[in-house]
Amino acid sequence: MLDLFAGLDTHVAITLILSLGFVLAFEFINGFHDTANAVATVIYTQSMKPRLAVFASGVFNFLGVLTGGLAVAYAIVHLLPVDLLVSVNTARGMAMVFALLTAAIAWNLGTWYFGLPASSSHTLIGAILGVGLANCLINGTPLSQGVNWGKAIDVGLSLLCSPLVGALLSGLLVIALRRSRPQSNMHKTPFQRQQVEGRKHPPFWMRFMLIVSSMGVSFSHGSNDGQKGVGLIMLVLIGIVPAKYVLNLDSTPYQIERTRDAALHLQQFYNRHQTALDAMFKPSAAGSNVHDCRRVTPCALPTT
């Protein structure tokens, strides 16, 4: 990990540290922001104590991150076009990273403070799309090229359909239980059970299923939302230190040195023959945008 900072300018290294800190801050806020969704049922029904529920939810979230793969992380990275990611310079990369992270953190903190059950996934996706569209407006490029709209549509459909599917399935399950077991005390609130039975927590089997479902939600949250942090770290590395990101860390020092020498020689060659190269690759009189070297006689430059 420390290899990322080797050879970086001081301001770039500081920027990289701050950006990774912002990512960790987002993940921390995302954790306590979304944990309430997973443990609300077991706490309300008195199935688990609040502190135990939060601790268990954190454990299952962590297990979900470890075993969930990287599909969601890659989906986040692929929302922005490859051209934008590989051509961005350090200054633009800094602006891109800080803009999307600041927007996501501000929204998460705001909705948490006011007690609004909002999704951090929608926030982060919107921030990434906003970065791509803002880049188009700044550079004067078409909006169709600022975002990978195919991937954005796929992600948007999943974010739209998931709550609808969840609401439909849960509604059907409640209706089925109401009709099949209308007198069961599982339909009672904790207050009603306290008045009738002298206890607040539900029957054992219902309590067991509530705990299993709550920890399952936590595990699923880790295997999906937990990967957003991985995707953000990838965006940080690509946006601020792209050369470090694409470097093969298994390369030997000799291979890296030879690559550097080849790049320097290529730059020197271009500087010596800039006029000839510019003339060769100018658009032809017929309106062609690319000069065909095969039509040049002789098609060669002075050797170095």
Side-chain angles (χ1 to χ4, degrees):
M1 181 66 180
L2 294 179
D3 293 338
L4 288 172
F5 301 94
L8 292 180
D9 294 336
T10 303
H11 71 282
V12 177
I14 293 175
T15 301
L16 181 58
I17 294 173
L18 290 175
S19 300
L20 295 177
F22 264 57
V23 173
L24 295 179
F26 172 80
E27 279 300 292
F28 178 76
I29 296 170
N30 182 43
F32 70 71
H33 186 276
D34 286 357
T35 296
N37 301 330
V39 301
T41 53
V42 292
I43 293 176
Y44 170 73
T45 59
Q46 304 290 315
S47 298
M48 294 181 74
K49 297 295 183 182
R51 292 183 182 274
L52 179 60
V54 172
F55 175 78
S57 176
V59 171
F60 278 89
N61 262 283
F62 183 69
L63 293 176
V65 174
L66 292 181
T67 60
L70 294 173
V72 176
Y74 284 125
I76 289 176
V77 175
H78 291 161
L79 283 172
L80 295 177
V82 177
D83 293 342
L84 171 60
L85 294 176
V86 301
S87 64
V88 67
N89 55 37
T90 301
R92 289 173 57 193
M94 289 167 29
M96 176 182 72
V97 169
F98 286 122
L100 67 91
L101 287 177
T102 302
I105 289 174
W107 180 261
N108 273 355
L109 282 177
T111 53
W112 163 79
Y113 180 80
F114 290 105
L116 301 176
S119 170
S120 57
S121 298
H122 292 71
T123 308
L124 181 62
I125 300 304
I128 294 175
L129 297 181
V131 165
L133 296 177
N135 180 72
C136 289
L137 296 176
I138 293 173
N139 297 321
T141 56
L143 295 180
S144 59
Q145 300 177 9
V147 174
N148 185 352
W149 290 109
K151 178 60 68 175
I153 291 174
D154 292 340
V155 173
L157 287 176
S158 67
L159 294 177
L160 176 64
C161 294
S162 56
L164 297 178
V165 172
L168 177 63
L169 292 179
S170 62
L172 292 175
L173 183 60
V174 169
I175 293 174
L177 290 174
R178 283 283 187 180
R179 291 184 176 180
S180 62
R181 304 191 62 180
Q183 303 301 322
S184 175
N185 63 1
M186 67 178 175
H187 302 303
K188 296 183 177 68
T189 66
F191 177 78
Q192 291 172 332
R193 278 195 296 270
Q194 179 71 26
Q195 299 298 317
V196 176
E197 303 175 6
R199 60 187 177 91
K200 292 184 178 181
H201 59 77
F204 171 78
W205 67 271
M206 191 66 184
R207 187 178 183 184
F208 175 77
M209 291 305 300
L210 283 169
I211 294 174
V212 170
S213 63
S214 175
M215 296 305 106
V217 171
S218 298
F219 181 85
S220 299
H221 180 270
S223 61
N224 286 271
D225 275 28
Q227 293 183 44
K228 292 186 297 189
V230 179
L232 288 174
I233 291 176
M234 294 169 66
L235 285 177
V236 167
L237 295 178
I238 297 173
I240 297 178
V241 284
K244 295 288 183 178
Y245 183 80
V246 300
L247 179 64
N248 180 11
L249 297 181
D250 295 328
S251 300
T252 64
Y254 175 81
Q255 292 172 326
I256 296 175
E257 189 66 24
R258 297 288 72 78
T259 302
R260 188 182 72 86
D261 291 342
L264 289 175
H265 291 159
L266 183 61
Q267 182 180 11
Q268 294 169 0
F269 176 81
Y270 177 80
N271 291 336
R272 285 197 299 268
H273 307 292
Q274 182 175 359
T275 303
L277 285 168
D278 290 343
M280 175 175 291
F281 291 102
K282 280 182 179 178
S284 64
S288 173
N289 291 326
V290 179
H291 184 83
D292 190 348
C293 186
R294 293 172 296 181
R295 291 181 292 192
V296 178
T297 307
C299 184
L301 291 171
T303 58
T304 56

PDB file of all heavy atoms in Angstrom, residues 43-64:
ATOM      1  N   ILE A  43     -35.048  -4.526  17.013  1.00  0.00           N
ATOM      2  CA  ILE A  43     -35.072  -3.644  18.182  1.00  0.00           C
ATOM      3  C   ILE A  43     -36.515  -3.284  18.545  1.00  0.00           C
ATOM      4  O   ILE A  43     -36.904  -3.327  19.720  1.00  0.00           O
ATOM      5  CB  ILE A  43     -34.237  -2.373  17.920  1.00  0.00           C
ATOM      6  CG1 ILE A  43     -32.759  -2.743  17.805  1.00  0.00           C
ATOM      7  CG2 ILE A  43     -34.439  -1.356  19.030  1.00  0.00           C
ATOM      8  CD1 ILE A  43     -31.856  -1.568  17.458  1.00  0.00           C
ATOM      9  N   TYR A  44     -37.314  -2.955  17.556  1.00  0.00           N
ATOM     10  CA  TYR A  44     -38.705  -2.572  17.826  1.00  0.00           C
ATOM     11  C   TYR A  44     -39.488  -3.733  18.436  1.00  0.00           C
ATOM     12  O   TYR A  44     -40.292  -3.547  19.363  1.00  0.00           O
ATOM     13  CB  TYR A  44     -39.373  -2.110  16.538  1.00  0.00           C
ATOM     14  CG  TYR A  44     -40.870  -1.921  16.664  1.00  0.00           C
ATOM     15  CD1 TYR A  44     -41.394  -0.839  17.376  1.00  0.00           C
ATOM     16  CD2 TYR A  44     -41.752  -2.841  16.106  1.00  0.00           C
ATOM     17  CE1 TYR A  44     -42.763  -0.673  17.509  1.00  0.00           C
ATOM     18  CE2 TYR A  44     -43.119  -2.689  16.234  1.00  0.00           C
ATOM     19  CZ  TYR A  44     -43.621  -1.601  16.939  1.00  0.00           C
ATOM     20  OH  TYR A  44     -44.977  -1.441  17.079  1.00  0.00           O
ATOM     21  N   THR A  45     -39.279  -4.950  17.926  1.00  0.00           N
ATOM     22  CA  THR A  45     -40.017  -6.110  18.417  1.00  0.00           C
ATOM     23  C   THR A  45     -39.407  -6.700  19.680  1.00  0.00           C
ATOM     24  O   THR A  45     -39.875  -7.744  20.153  1.00  0.00           O
ATOM     25  CB  THR A  45     -40.083  -7.198  17.330  1.00  0.00           C
ATOM     26  OG1 THR A  45     -38.742  -7.570  16.966  1.00  0.00           O
ATOM     27  CG2 THR A  45     -40.824  -6.701  16.102  1.00  0.00           C
ATOM     28  N   GLN A  46     -38.362  -6.091  20.228  1.00  0.00           N
ATOM     29  CA  GLN A  46     -37.701  -6.576  21.445  1.00  0.00           C
ATOM     30  C   GLN A  46     -37.059  -7.948  21.238  1.00  0.00           C
ATOM     31  O   GLN A  46     -36.883  -8.705  22.197  1.00  0.00           O
ATOM     32  CB  GLN A  46     -38.700  -6.652  22.597  1.00  0.00           C
ATOM     33  CG  GLN A  46     -39.419  -5.348  22.915  1.00  0.00           C
ATOM     34  CD  GLN A  46     -38.486  -4.319  23.534  1.00  0.00           C
ATOM     35  OE1 GLN A  46     -37.708  -4.636  24.414  1.00  0.00           O
ATOM     36  NE2 GLN A  46     -38.565  -3.086  23.041  1.00  0.00           N
ATOM     37  N   SER A  47     -36.710  -8.261  19.982  1.00  0.00           N
ATOM     38  CA  SER A  47     -36.053  -9.537  19.715  1.00  0.00           C
ATOM     39  C   SER A  47     -34.585  -9.513  20.126  1.00  0.00           C
ATOM     40  O   SER A  47     -34.013 -10.555  20.476  1.00  0.00           O
ATOM     41  CB  SER A  47     -36.165  -9.884  18.225  1.00  0.00           C
ATOM     42  OG  SER A  47     -37.507 -10.025  17.835  1.00  0.00           O
ATOM     43  N   MET A  48     -33.940  -8.363  20.058  1.00  0.00           N
ATOM     44  CA  MET A  48     -32.550  -8.205  20.463  1.00  0.00           C
ATOM     45  C   MET A  48     -32.388  -6.868  21.175  1.00  0.00           C
ATOM     46  O   MET A  48     -33.142  -5.921  20.913  1.00  0.00           O
ATOM     47  CB  MET A  48     -31.605  -8.252  19.243  1.00  0.00           C
ATOM     48  CG  MET A  48     -31.542  -9.570  18.515  1.00  0.00           C
ATOM     49  SD  MET A  48     -30.370  -9.516  17.119  1.00  0.00           S
ATOM     50  CE  MET A  48     -28.803  -9.545  18.015  1.00  0.00           C
ATOM     51  N   LYS A  49     -31.402  -6.817  22.051  1.00  0.00           N
ATOM     52  CA  LYS A  49     -31.056  -5.558  22.675  1.00  0.00           C
ATOM     53  C   LYS A  49     -30.381  -4.655  21.640  1.00  0.00           C
ATOM     54  O   LYS A  49     -29.683  -5.149  20.743  1.00  0.00           O
ATOM     55  CB  LYS A  49     -30.121  -5.774  23.861  1.00  0.00           C
ATOM     56  CG  LYS A  49     -30.734  -6.594  24.978  1.00  0.00           C
ATOM     57  CD  LYS A  49     -31.903  -5.876  25.609  1.00  0.00           C
ATOM     58  CE  LYS A  49     -32.470  -6.674  26.782  1.00  0.00           C
ATOM     59  NZ  LYS A  49     -33.652  -6.004  27.384  1.00  0.00           N
ATOM     60  N   PRO A  50     -30.577  -3.343  21.722  1.00  0.00           N
ATOM     61  CA  PRO A  50     -30.034  -2.441  20.689  1.00  0.00           C
ATOM     62  C   PRO A  50     -28.528  -2.583  20.471  1.00  0.00           C
ATOM     63  O   PRO A  50     -28.075  -2.679  19.324  1.00  0.00           O
ATOM     64  CB  PRO A  50     -30.406  -1.049  21.215  1.00  0.00           C
ATOM     65  CG  PRO A  50     -31.624  -1.276  22.046  1.00  0.00           C
ATOM     66  CD  PRO A  50     -31.428  -2.615  22.682  1.00  0.00           C
ATOM     67  N   ARG A  51     -27.733  -2.597  21.557  1.00  0.00           N
ATOM     68  CA  ARG A  51     -26.277  -2.670  21.398  1.00  0.00           C
ATOM     69  C   ARG A  51     -25.857  -3.989  20.757  1.00  0.00           C
ATOM     70  O   ARG A  51     -24.985  -4.030  19.888  1.00  0.00           O
ATOM     71  CB  ARG A  51     -25.588  -2.490  22.746  1.00  0.00           C
ATOM     72  CG  ARG A  51     -25.736  -1.085  23.326  1.00  0.00           C
ATOM     73  CD  ARG A  51     -24.967  -0.959  24.629  1.00  0.00           C
ATOM     74  NE  ARG A  51     -25.144   0.362  25.209  1.00  0.00           N
ATOM     75  CZ  ARG A  51     -24.412   1.425  24.907  1.00  0.00           C
ATOM     76  NH1 ARG A  51     -23.421   1.300  24.027  1.00  0.00           N
ATOM     77  NH2 ARG A  51     -24.634   2.595  25.483  1.00  0.00           N
ATOM     78  N   LEU A  52     -26.478  -5.079  21.186  1.00  0.00           N
ATOM     79  CA  LEU A  52     -26.161  -6.383  20.605  1.00  0.00           C
ATOM     80  C   LEU A  52     -26.560  -6.432  19.139  1.00  0.00           C
ATOM     81  O   LEU A  52     -25.836  -6.998  18.300  1.00  0.00           O
ATOM     82  CB  LEU A  52     -26.868  -7.488  21.388  1.00  0.00           C
ATOM     83  CG  LEU A  52     -26.665  -8.919  20.884  1.00  0.00           C
ATOM     84  CD1 LEU A  52     -25.180  -9.288  20.910  1.00  0.00           C
ATOM     85  CD2 LEU A  52     -27.491  -9.900  21.704  1.00  0.00           C
ATOM     86  N   ALA A  53     -27.704  -5.848  18.799  1.00  0.00           N
ATOM     87  CA  ALA A  53     -28.167  -5.853  17.412  1.00  0.00           C
ATOM     88  C   ALA A  53     -27.207  -5.085  16.511  1.00  0.00           C
ATOM     89  O   ALA A  53     -26.862  -5.538  15.411  1.00  0.00           O
ATOM     90  CB  ALA A  53     -29.565  -5.260  17.325  1.00  0.00           C
ATOM     91  N   VAL A  54     -26.759  -3.917  16.971  1.00  0.00           N
ATOM     92  CA  VAL A  54     -25.834  -3.111  16.176  1.00  0.00           C
ATOM     93  C   VAL A  54     -24.497  -3.831  16.012  1.00  0.00           C
ATOM     94  O   VAL A  54     -23.906  -3.851  14.924  1.00  0.00           O
ATOM     95  CB  VAL A  54     -25.630  -1.724  16.825  1.00  0.00           C
ATOM     96  CG1 VAL A  54     -24.527  -0.961  16.112  1.00  0.00           C
ATOM     97  CG2 VAL A  54     -26.929  -0.925  16.776  1.00  0.00           C
ATOM     98  N   PHE A  55     -24.004  -4.454  17.091  1.00  0.00           N
ATOM     99  CA  PHE A  55     -22.732  -5.182  17.009  1.00  0.00           C
ATOM    100  C   PHE A  55     -22.836  -6.353  16.037  1.00  0.00           C
ATOM    101  O   PHE A  55     -21.969  -6.547  15.182  1.00  0.00           O
ATOM    102  CB  PHE A  55     -22.333  -5.682  18.396  1.00  0.00           C
ATOM    103  CG  PHE A  55     -21.105  -6.549  18.394  1.00  0.00           C
ATOM    104  CD1 PHE A  55     -19.837  -5.978  18.291  1.00  0.00           C
ATOM    105  CD2 PHE A  55     -21.211  -7.928  18.475  1.00  0.00           C
ATOM    106  CE1 PHE A  55     -18.702  -6.774  18.276  1.00  0.00           C
ATOM    107  CE2 PHE A  55     -20.080  -8.739  18.454  1.00  0.00           C
ATOM    108  CZ  PHE A  55     -18.819  -8.159  18.357  1.00  0.00           C
ATOM    109  N   ALA A  56     -23.896  -7.141  16.159  1.00  0.00           N
ATOM    110  CA  ALA A  56     -24.066  -8.287  15.262  1.00  0.00           C
ATOM    111  C   ALA A  56     -24.230  -7.836  13.814  1.00  0.00           C
ATOM    112  O   ALA A  56     -23.708  -8.463  12.884  1.00  0.00           O
ATOM    113  CB  ALA A  56     -25.277  -9.105  15.701  1.00  0.00           C
ATOM    114  N   SER A  57     -24.940  -6.726  13.609  1.00  0.00           N
ATOM    115  CA  SER A  57     -25.105  -6.203  12.256  1.00  0.00           C
ATOM    116  C   SER A  57     -23.757  -5.811  11.663  1.00  0.00           C
ATOM    117  O   SER A  57     -23.487  -6.076  10.484  1.00  0.00           O
ATOM    118  CB  SER A  57     -26.049  -5.002  12.286  1.00  0.00           C
ATOM    119  OG  SER A  57     -26.166  -4.420  10.997  1.00  0.00           O
ATOM    120  N   GLY A  58     -22.897  -5.190  12.466  1.00  0.00           N
ATOM    121  CA  GLY A  58     -21.571  -4.826  11.977  1.00  0.00           C
ATOM    122  C   GLY A  58     -20.747  -6.033  11.593  1.00  0.00           C
ATOM    123  O   GLY A  58     -20.036  -6.025  10.584  1.00  0.00           O
ATOM    124  N   VAL A  59     -20.827  -7.096  12.384  1.00  0.00           N
ATOM    125  CA  VAL A  59     -20.082  -8.328  12.074  1.00  0.00           C
ATOM    126  C   VAL A  59     -20.540  -8.908  10.746  1.00  0.00           C
ATOM    127  O   VAL A  59     -19.736  -9.275   9.883  1.00  0.00           O
ATOM    128  CB  VAL A  59     -20.254  -9.347  13.211  1.00  0.00           C
ATOM    129  CG1 VAL A  59     -19.666 -10.702  12.800  1.00  0.00           C
ATOM    130  CG2 VAL A  59     -19.578  -8.847  14.488  1.00  0.00           C
ATOM    131  N   PHE A  60     -21.856  -9.008  10.556  1.00  0.00           N
ATOM    132  CA  PHE A  60     -22.368  -9.600   9.313  1.00  0.00           C
ATOM    133  C   PHE A  60     -22.131  -8.673   8.115  1.00  0.00           C
ATOM    134  O   PHE A  60     -21.938  -9.151   6.992  1.00  0.00           O
ATOM    135  CB  PHE A  60     -23.855  -9.929   9.465  1.00  0.00           C
ATOM    136  CG  PHE A  60     -24.111 -11.230  10.162  1.00  0.00           C
ATOM    137  CD1 PHE A  60     -24.234 -11.279  11.542  1.00  0.00           C
ATOM    138  CD2 PHE A  60     -24.205 -12.404   9.437  1.00  0.00           C
ATOM    139  CE1 PHE A  60     -24.459 -12.480  12.193  1.00  0.00           C
ATOM    140  CE2 PHE A  60     -24.433 -13.620  10.075  1.00  0.00           C
ATOM    141  CZ  PHE A  60     -24.550 -13.652  11.463  1.00  0.00           C
ATOM    142  N   ASN A  61     -22.139  -7.367   8.330  1.00  0.00           N
ATOM    143  CA  ASN A  61     -21.761  -6.449   7.259  1.00  0.00           C
ATOM    144  C   ASN A  61     -20.328  -6.708   6.801  1.00  0.00           C
ATOM    145  O   ASN A  61     -20.038  -6.745   5.601  1.00  0.00           O
ATOM    146  CB  ASN A  61     -21.897  -5.002   7.738  1.00  0.00           C
ATOM    147  CG  ASN A  61     -23.198  -4.362   7.318  1.00  0.00           C
ATOM    148  OD1 ASN A  61     -23.363  -3.961   6.169  1.00  0.00           O
ATOM    149  ND2 ASN A  61     -24.128  -4.267   8.242  1.00  0.00           N
ATOM    150  N   PHE A  62     -19.431  -6.867   7.766  1.00  0.00           N
ATOM    151  CA  PHE A  62     -18.026  -7.106   7.448  1.00  0.00           C
ATOM    152  C   PHE A  62     -17.849  -8.423   6.708  1.00  0.00           C
ATOM    153  O   PHE A  62     -17.088  -8.507   5.728  1.00  0.00           O
ATOM    154  CB  PHE A  62     -17.208  -7.097   8.735  1.00  0.00           C
ATOM    155  CG  PHE A  62     -15.732  -7.260   8.518  1.00  0.00           C
ATOM    156  CD1 PHE A  62     -14.989  -6.255   7.921  1.00  0.00           C
ATOM    157  CD2 PHE A  62     -15.091  -8.419   8.910  1.00  0.00           C
ATOM    158  CE1 PHE A  62     -13.630  -6.409   7.709  1.00  0.00           C
ATOM    159  CE2 PHE A  62     -13.739  -8.580   8.702  1.00  0.00           C
ATOM    160  CZ  PHE A  62     -12.996  -7.571   8.109  1.00  0.00           C
ATOM    161  N   LEU A  63     -18.556  -9.457   7.136  1.00  0.00           N
ATOM    162  CA  LEU A  63     -18.477 -10.738   6.438  1.00  0.00           C
ATOM    163  C   LEU A  63     -18.998 -10.607   5.005  1.00  0.00           C
ATOM    164  O   LEU A  63     -18.472 -11.244   4.078  1.00  0.00           O
ATOM    165  CB  LEU A  63     -19.280 -11.798   7.196  1.00  0.00           C
ATOM    166  CG  LEU A  63     -18.734 -12.196   8.570  1.00  0.00           C
ATOM    167  CD1 LEU A  63     -19.687 -13.172   9.250  1.00  0.00           C
ATOM    168  CD2 LEU A  63     -17.340 -12.807   8.440  1.00  0.00           C
ATOM    169  N   GLY A  64     -20.018  -9.789   4.821  1.00  0.00           N
ATOM    170  CA  GLY A  64     -20.545  -9.581   3.473  1.00  0.00           C
ATOM    171  C   GLY A  64     -19.548  -8.903   2.565  1.00  0.00           C
ATOM    172  O   GLY A  64     -19.427  -9.246   1.378  1.00  0.00           O
TER     173      GLY A  64
END
